[in-house]
Amino acid sequence: MYAVEFYIFAFLVLTAGFLSVTTKHILYAVFYQVQAVVAVAGILAGLNAKFVSFAVLSMSAASILVFLMFALIVFDGVRVSAPPKASKMAVMFFVLLSMETVYLLFKPRWSLEKAAPDFSLPVLGNILYADYGFGVLVFAGLILSCMVGITALLVEKKSS
Amino acid sequence: MTIDIPVILTVSSFLVFFGLWGVMKHRSDLMRILLALQLIFLGSLFNFSMGSALFYEATGLIFCLFSSCLTGVQIVASLTLFLVYFRKHTHLSVDRMKG
């Protein structure tokens, strides 16, 4: 990974994290969080860890989508109304996000030499299932118990 | 230009600091606390991945995967608890929870 790329993405992560905390509007805070996650995924892609980058991106996208849906349902559009200067912020957000996405998609074609070790899926899979098989089982059990608990919480009891 | 270890540690420390600051700043808003917690997880994820690349060891990326998995579980589980609380009390304000 080139150092300039790392510094650009690190700056983006820090700026997005700072703005995510300081902004008053929860919708913008979520958008800045998306920027931070995409920038971290860009760093991971630069480190030849494309599978982990994709996993982090998809996991965060799913969780942030659930978060947004929850915010929209709970607050019912009252607290998520657009503040002033919303259009400029939205344009900046989407331009920056599209630039990062273009980098993520085309980065493997630009680099000619490997600056980092090979973190491909077979390498990670070997380590994951050979050395950390027990950890995978524990996490699978954790996720399964969470799903069962969430389902049990959300199912409403029928009155007899 | 090289990527030094202090730079990596500084960036991840700032991310964790921003997350803690967010938790302290938005104490009365549960949703914002959840967002700030995700920032802390992002800092640890960044640290694991960069350490993995620096020391030519893929173990850090495995922990990165575990960490991102844990973040997703944490967010979904807390949102479920918030939803259950919201159904019962029709608010999510910490100040009103205290009574």
Side-chain angles (χ1 to χ4, degrees), chain A residues 137-153, chain B residues 73 77:
Chain A
L137 282 177
V138 168
F139 263 78
L142 178 74
I143 294 173
L144 188 66
S145 57
C146 270
M147 284 172 64
V148 171
I150 287 165
T151 314
L153 274 174
Chain B
V73 169

Side-chain angles (χ1 to χ4, degrees), chain B residues 22-35:
Chain B
V23 171
M24 298 302 289
K25 192 181 177 193
H26 305 286
R27 279 195 299 270
S28 57
D29 196 346
L30 287 174
M31 307 282 282
R32 297 298 293 267
I33 290 174
L34 203 59
L35 266 185

Side-chain angles (χ1 to χ4, degrees), chain A residues 32-120:
Chain A
Y32 287 131
Q33 195 92 25
V34 172
Q35 291 278 359
V37 169
V38 173
V40 168
I43 288 174
L44 283 168
L47 296 172
N48 293 331
K50 296 172 199 81
F51 173 71
V52 183
S53 165
F54 174 73
V56 167
L57 206 57
S58 55
M59 185 76 73
S60 304
S63 59
I64 286 173
L65 197 65
V66 170
F67 190 92
L68 265 179
M69 282 170 61
F70 182 81
L72 289 172
I73 289 169
V74 166
F75 298 129
D76 201 18
V78 176
R79 284 180 61 183
V80 289
S81 57
K85 296 183 182 175
S87 57
K88 282 183 184 175
M89 294 287 287
V91 168
M92 275 182 63
F93 169 75
F94 282 111
V95 165
L96 204 57
L97 197 65
S98 53
M99 281 168 64
E100 289 175 36
T101 313
V102 164
Y103 175 84
L104 274 176
L105 286 175
F106 292 103
K107 170 72 177 65
R109 294 175 198 173
W110 288 348
S111 68
L112 295 174
E113 57 185 26
K114 287 184 178 177
D118 184 23
F119 292 135
S120 60

Side-chain angles (χ1 to χ4, degrees), chain A residues 3-4 6-7 10 13-14 17-18 20-26 29-30 33 36-37 40 43-44 47 49 51-52 55-56 59 63-64 66-67 70-71 74 79 115 117 119 124 127-128 132 135-136 139 142-143 146 150 153-154 156, chain B residues 1-4 7-8 11 14-15 18-19 21-22 25-26 29 31-32 34-35 38-39 42 45-46 49-50 52-53 56-59 61-66 68-70 72-73 75-77 79-84 86-87 92:
Chain A
V4 178
F6 169 77
Y7 284 115
V13 172
L14 284 181
F18 178 76
S20 164
V21 172
T22 51
T23 188
K24 288 180 182 175
H25 211 270
I26 189 168
V30 173
Q33 195 92 25
V37 169
V40 168
I43 288 174
L44 283 168
L47 296 172
F51 173 71
V52 183
V56 167
M59 185 76 73
S63 59
I64 286 173
V66 170
F67 190 92
F70 182 81
V74 166
R79 284 180 61 183
F119 292 135
L124 286 179
I127 296 171
L128 190 63
Y132 295 98
V136 172
F139 263 78
L142 178 74
I143 294 173
C146 270
I150 287 165
L153 274 174
L154 288 181
E156 292 181 21
Chain B
M1 203 189 315
T2 54
I3 306 168
D4 296 324
V7 176
I8 295 166
V11 173
F14 265 103
L15 274 177
F18 286 152
W21 182 32
K25 192 181 177 193
H26 305 286
D29 196 346
M31 307 282 282
R32 297 298 293 267
L34 203 59
L35 266 185
Q38 204 182 7
L39 215 55
L42 209 63
L45 199 143
F46 180 84
S49 56
M50 289 310 293
S52 183
Y56 288 82
E57 176 67 49
T59 311
L61 286 178
I62 301 294
F63 279 94
C64 196
L65 278 176
F66 283 149
S68 65
C69 189
L70 202 63
V73 169
I75 285 193
V76 173
L79 283 181
T80 310
L81 289 175
F82 293 169
L83 189 61
V84 170
F86 186 79
R87 273 183 185 168
L92 273 179

